[in-house]
Amino acid sequence: MSDHSHEHAQDHMHERGSAHGHGAGGHAGHSHGVSADADRRWLGIALTLITAFMAVEVVVGIVAQSLALISDAAHMLTDAASIVLALIAMRLAARPARGGYTYGLKRAEILSAQANGLTLLLLGTWLAYEAVRRLISPPEVEGGLMLGTALVGIAVNVAATWCISKANRSSLNVEGAYQHILTDLFAFIGTAIAALIVVLTGFARADAIATLAVVALMVKAGYELLCESGRIFLEAAPADVDPDALGDKLVAQPAVVEVHDLHVWQITSGQAALSAHVLTESGGDCHAVRRSLEELLRHDYGITHTTLQVDHAPDPVLQVALPGDASDDPSHCEDPHGPVHRDGPHEH
């Protein structure tokens, strides 16, 4: 790198140090006014409610011979596990960055979200198999006991869902636990309807049909969690950010000639980061350009973790290089990634 670029890098590092300090404070806004301690308290209350009722439901489900009740209890077990995972992940994510973990352990929350999604899919597969078996050969079901337990379960899950909704659902970790509890609430509603049908008509297959309806909800929630967490692990851009449109917006700013090696990714849910190589007009104030681009990213996209390498575009008249020399490429990058954004029509 040239002396001029080196000075840019040093100035950039110095100013980003203060900018990151500001950004750290700004990220507190992601919690929407909910502290980590409050999150843990609400999750703890929900965990207590679910664990206590789950133990009762297992006993009642066996006595009533209701697969819907037993499946609800099994789902509640994964609910409890999802909350425990969420609490552990919160503890890990709160640890400061050190050693080789330069982002800390923030992605422990995304691991928790993936585990929640996977357990929903696996449990749904097992319940679908059992429900089909009972459709073929339905056992006797104690409808009255099943109905009473389901109604109590609805009340417990409403309370647990309300508790988790008070936590910060912008965290994919908390959202995973919330989806578990919400799906369980729908399961109890389905079980109550099935129990009422059994009591009124004696149609025992209603129990298995209700289970299949819940399985569909579980598969949907699990698939969405795996997709969202997978995007973060694969370093994809946030779902609401179009990198091509963002690059075009950056290059359209005054004095910006080119933007390339543009990367947008998420450190964890709700915390996006960006890096890019920016070329400015020869002789312009590249530091002012960098500051204006950082402000644009903060204001328009909410991205405060930014690393912008800003250089002056070389003057092609003064540039002397052999054909095939790396200096022929104005990007100065040996291994460029992604499209090159310039003012005017260009490939994406």
Side-chain angles (χ1 to χ4, degrees):
M1 183 181 291
S2 66
D3 292 340
H4 184 64
S5 297
H6 183 65
E7 290 175 21
H8 290 336
Q10 287 186 322
D11 178 80
H12 176 68
M13 290 170 65
H14 174 75
E15 294 196 30
R16 288 310 299 158
S18 60
H20 274 302
H22 174 74
H27 278 303
H30 289 163
S31 67
H32 304 291
V34 182
S35 69
D37 287 339
D39 281 349
R40 285 191 285 268
R41 183 170 65 251
W42 286 117
L43 288 173
I45 294 171
L47 178 61
T48 302
L49 288 170
I50 286 169
T51 304
F53 183 74
M54 178 182 65
V56 174
E57 189 179 21
V58 170
V59 175
V60 176
I62 293 173
V63 172
Q65 297 191 61
S66 168
L67 177 62
L69 282 181
I70 295 173
S71 67
D72 286 340
H75 191 193
M76 290 192 88
L77 178 61
T78 66
D79 293 343
S82 73
I83 295 175
V84 170
L85 272 176
L87 290 169
I88 293 172
M90 281 180 179
R91 293 284 185 183
L92 293 174
R95 293 183 178 180
R98 63 181 59 173
Y101 295 93
T102 56
Y103 281 129
L105 295 174
K106 293 185 181 297
R107 284 197 175 169
E109 294 189 325
I110 309 305
L111 281 172
S112 171
Q114 280 216 323
N116 285 333
L118 186 59
T119 54
L120 280 170
L121 292 180
L122 292 176
L123 185 59
T125 301
W126 175 73
L127 290 177
Y129 170 74
E130 289 295 325
V132 170
R133 278 183 48 181
R134 291 204 169 201
L135 277 175
I136 296 171
S137 179
E140 290 294 327
V141 177
E142 184 61 48
L145 193 57
M146 178 180 167
L147 178 60
T149 307
L151 292 175
V152 175
I154 290 172
V156 170
N157 272 269
V158 165
T161 302
W162 180 80
C163 286
I164 296 186
S165 72
K166 302 291 286 183
N168 175 24
R169 284 182 56 205
S170 68
S171 164
L172 196 57
N173 177 43
V174 174
E175 180 65 15
Y178 178 80
Q179 287 298 329
H180 263 275
I181 307 300
L182 187 63
T183 304
D184 210 32
L185 174 60
F186 293 145
F188 273 110
I189 294 172
T191 301
I193 294 172
L196 188 60
I197 292 173
V198 171
V199 170
L200 296 178
T201 69
F203 183 60
R205 286 186 172 87
D207 178 60
I209 293 171
T211 301
L212 288 175
V214 173
V215 165
L217 295 174
M218 293 170 67
V219 169
K220 178 179 181 294
Y223 176 76
E224 289 176 352
L225 278 173
L226 286 178
C227 285
E228 289 183 50
S229 57
R231 283 181 61 87
I232 293 176
F233 279 124
L234 293 174
E235 305 284 359
D240 59 343
V241 175
D242 180 350
D244 285 335
L246 189 154
D248 290 345
K249 193 167 188 176
L250 293 179
V251 83
Q253 301 308 302
V256 178
V257 175
E258 178 180 306
V259 175
H260 57 268
D261 277 1
L262 173 63
H263 302 283
V264 192
W265 70 99
Q266 286 181 285
I267 301 168
T268 186
S269 52
Q271 292 189 19
L274 177 145
S275 67
H277 192 178
V278 180
L279 300 182
T280 66
E281 293 175 351
S282 179
D285 187 347
C286 57
H287 302 296
V289 170
R290 173 176 52 77
R291 287 190 292 268
S292 69
L293 294 182
E294 289 172 347
E295 174 58 24
L296 181 150
L297 291 168
R298 184 196 66 79
H299 182 270
D300 292 4
Y301 296 92
I303 301 176
T304 56
H305 286 278
T306 58
T307 303
L308 300 177
Q309 179 186 344
V310 182
D311 292 299
H312 291 301
D315 188 342
V317 176
L318 299 179
Q319 186 179 28
V320 178
L322 295 174
D325 194 333
S327 61
D328 280 341
D329 181 6
S331 70
H332 309 300
C333 297
E334 294 182 2
D335 185 21
H337 301 96
V340 175
H341 298 270
R342 297 189 180 94
D343 195 18
H346 53 273
E347 293 185 3
H348 278 177

